[in-house]
Amino acid sequence: MPLEQKKQYTVEDIYALPDGVRAELIDGEMYMTAPPGLTHQRLVHFFDRVIGNYIQNKSGDCEVFPAPFAVFLNNDDKLYVEHDISVICDK
């Protein structure tokens, strides 16, 4: 009896989700994510400020972006993540 094949999801499947439904895609497997809570959002805001201030005080060229900020790596349509904080240094 052959092993059952798991469905391989792509970024198109993420974009087809209903509004308000959040998910990430890792190696073609979809992981549903819950909306962040108050403590989580306070921590994201704190780290966003601390990292942003550090970069500014060092006259850095990087930018800080809090979620939601979609990250696509290696042009892979089976990988889609939304980090809580992204620091982009490549103009």
Side-chain angles (χ1 to χ4, degrees):
M1 186 175 203
L3 291 175
E4 188 176 321
Q5 296 271 334
K6 279 188 176 182
K7 176 172 173 41
Q8 288 287 299
Y9 293 95
T10 68
V11 173
E12 286 185 26
D13 295 308
I14 293 285
Y15 286 134
L17 292 172
D19 286 344
V21 175
R22 300 180 66 222
E24 293 186 325
L25 189 62
I26 299 172
D27 294 329
E29 189 165 339
M30 191 178 304
Y31 296 90
M32 307 310 285
T33 58
L38 182 60
T39 300
H40 178 95
Q41 289 300 90
R42 282 183 176 146
L43 288 168
V44 168
H45 178 65
F46 171 78
F47 286 114
D48 178 46
R49 276 193 342 231
V50 169
I51 295 167
N53 289 341
Y54 178 83
I55 291 168
Q56 184 176 27
N57 291 339
K58 298 292 184 180
S59 300
D61 290 333
C62 301
E63 295 181 86
V64 181
F65 297 96
F69 190 82
V71 177
F72 300 93
L73 302 172
N74 304 326
N75 291 326
D76 185 348
D77 71 342
K78 292 181 176 55
L79 179 65
Y80 173 94
V81 294
E82 290 184 3
H83 298 288
D84 291 319
I85 297 175
S86 298
V87 178
I88 309 297
C89 299
D90 184 0
K91 298 290 181 190

